[in-house]
Amino acid sequence: MKIFEFSPKIGIREIDHIRHRIDLGNDTFATGKISYEKVDELCRVLREFVDIMRGYKVEDFKAYGTSAIRETENTMIVLDQIRQRTGIRIEVLSNSEQRFLDYKSIALKGQDFNKIIEKGTAIVDIGGGSIQVSLFDKDTLVATQNLRLGVLRLQELLNKLNAKPSKYEGLLEEIIESQLSVFKRMYLKDRTIDNIIIVDDYVSALIQKRLTGSQTPGYVDSASYEMFMQIMRTHTKEEIAARFGISTESIPLIFISAVLIYRVALLMEAKLLWAPGVTLCDGIAYEFAERNKIVGPKHDFEQDIVACARNISKRFMGSRRRGETLEYICTTIFDSMKKVHGLGKRERLLLRIAALLHDCGKYISMVNLGECSYSIVMATEIIGLSHKEREIVANVVKYNHQEFDYYEELGTTTTLDPQAYLTIAKLTAIIRVANGLDRSHKQKFKDFKTTLREDQLIFTVNTAEDITLERGLFEAKASFFEEVFSVHPVIKQKKII
């Protein structure tokens, strides 16, 4: 737990950091359930946290659960126990939400972060259940992938193999390499990675203390990290504990994380490693301060989400020109309809993503385009989006190509709440009209403006091209728009001579 003070004058200031380690993931990854004993210990610690918050007169707090809670079979029971026994209501983050908050926590470092991502950079975010590898190219997040190589998961696998400690590194390398080789083929073809940013609960603290040969806390070059690995390989637990000031009990997990970082660094041929020493709590604090306008944005995170969507489209052979044209038309309609649709900035982002991924299903089938597009979006992690938001995008992409399913018809087959369903309906209506304006895929409507007049949305188009196809097919697209918004879209052409 971290206690922060927020103010426009000082921004974000950390007041206290209280830590108690319980490896819930050991139970989750071994048996599929968190044991009663672990839940009991967790509730006791959380009650102590509540007392500390009272002492600080805390005005607001956020509590999140990650992979250990997310992947356990008895999630609802555990969350209910915590709520009843501590008064703390825990929200369970999806993997993409969790990693995005970790990413935001790094941005708190300001100049260090902005400087390091000027060159090819990878963020390696190591958790108990998995690691997230995110790639930057020229200040922009271009790709992110989750690999089930978390520290506690790997420890449980080693325990099942009953291997001797002397065999651990070799076994870890085999397990790790099998997944990293696939990642390399997909994402690192012609990409140069100079720097790696490390987020973990194990090795980061040691890098902060200056590893062998490093000059600056938090930074270590590849040669110095190699020396650190030699110490981990050749010294006893007691010697390592004495050298780095850590407990012997933590060394097995530190070793697994160290090997993970080492293998990734070798794969990418990185020259510099930076461990900013941040935690998920820092990301939560940053998001709170940003949402309440206490601090200004240090980085355009929305553009990172959009950049990831563009790269997903590229992976599935989507047309960049077509996607960007559709995105432009969609956002123009969205902005001109603010008084009518009642949606906000976040829904606008979801519409942009849906526009960019509108034709990804063609990679699988030109016939079942809607269903295939839906399946691709649902199976592809989009960093920064919750599962619910990804489902909204997937449905908008799906219904852009096929008949809309009304909420009453879906019955008990949907997990979407009415609000999410209405968002899908509104965004689908917009993307269908936008699609109709570029039905020929020739970007004839580059120069147009929209005007909302009572019950009409007028598209005034400046083009000398023949738009007979667009006019002819537009009514079919416009009918659903009129049903959702009670506004009739109309095309008016101003021919350029």
Side-chain angles (χ1 to χ4, degrees), residues 26 62 72 110 127 184 190 301 328 348 402:
N26 283 339
K62 268 288 188 190
T72 189
K184 183 177 182 178
D190 303 312
F301 294 104
Y328 170 68
R348 188 180 189 273
Q402 64 185 57

Side-chain angles (χ1 to χ4, degrees), residues 99 102-104 106-107 113 116-117 120-126 131-136 141 143-145 183 193 195-199 264 268 274 276 383:
R99 306 304 181 167
D102 283 338
Y103 169 37
K104 283 189 171 184
I106 302 167
F113 173 67
I116 205 166
I117 63 171
T121 300
I123 295 177
V124 181
D125 185 355
I126 301 173
I131 69 171
Q132 191 85 15
V133 183
S134 305
L135 302 179
F136 280 86
L141 184 66
T144 185
Q145 187 63 48
F183 180 86
I193 303 297
N195 309 311
I196 292 178
I197 302 174
I198 301 163
V199 180
V264 172
M268 297 181 178
W274 176 41
I383 194 166

